[in-house]
Amino acid sequence: MNAGDTASETGFDYLARIHTRSRSAGMKETKEIQGQIYDRLHRGALTVTGYQHILIQRERSEVLTAPDGSFHGVCEYRGLISK
């Protein structure tokens, strides 16, 4: 059984990693994009055909400076889903 399984349902967890890029003069734009993603996903309601979505939460978020001078944002969201 997977960690999300019960006697009557099959469940599993997943990790979604979302990458963003910005060529703006600072990290502000990347952080704003990450904030908009957070507003839509964190504890949000997702529809997955054939499944009952239970939970999605952001686990971590960071902004890195890429070698070309752009800003690379990475957000990770973990969720639980059952069938």
Side-chain angles (χ1 to χ4, degrees):
M1 280 208 236
N2 292 327
D5 286 352
T6 66
S8 62
E9 294 182 347
T10 301
F12 56 93
D13 69 336
Y14 62 90
L15 178 70
R17 185 173 293 129
I18 301 171
H19 296 265
T20 59
R21 297 263 184 195
S22 172
R23 294 192 182 279
S24 65
M27 292 183 183
K28 182 180 178 188
E29 183 178 58
T30 302
K31 289 182 178 187
E32 287 173 349
I33 294 167
Q34 288 178 327
Q36 291 175 12
I37 293 167
Y38 177 90
D39 290 345
R40 286 168 178 79
L41 289 183
H42 185 75
R43 297 190 177 176
L46 297 179
T47 302
V48 179
T49 303
Y51 292 88
Q52 177 186 3
H53 185 262
I54 299 170
L55 176 68
I56 185 167
Q57 293 188 137
R58 184 165 72 184
E59 286 200 333
R60 73 180 195 90
S61 178
E62 65 181 324
V63 178
L64 310 165
T65 303
D68 66 357
S70 66
F71 295 96
H72 177 198
V74 182
C75 297
E76 288 185 350
Y77 288 82
R78 182 163 306 276
L80 298 172
I81 195 166
S82 67
K83 190 166 188 166

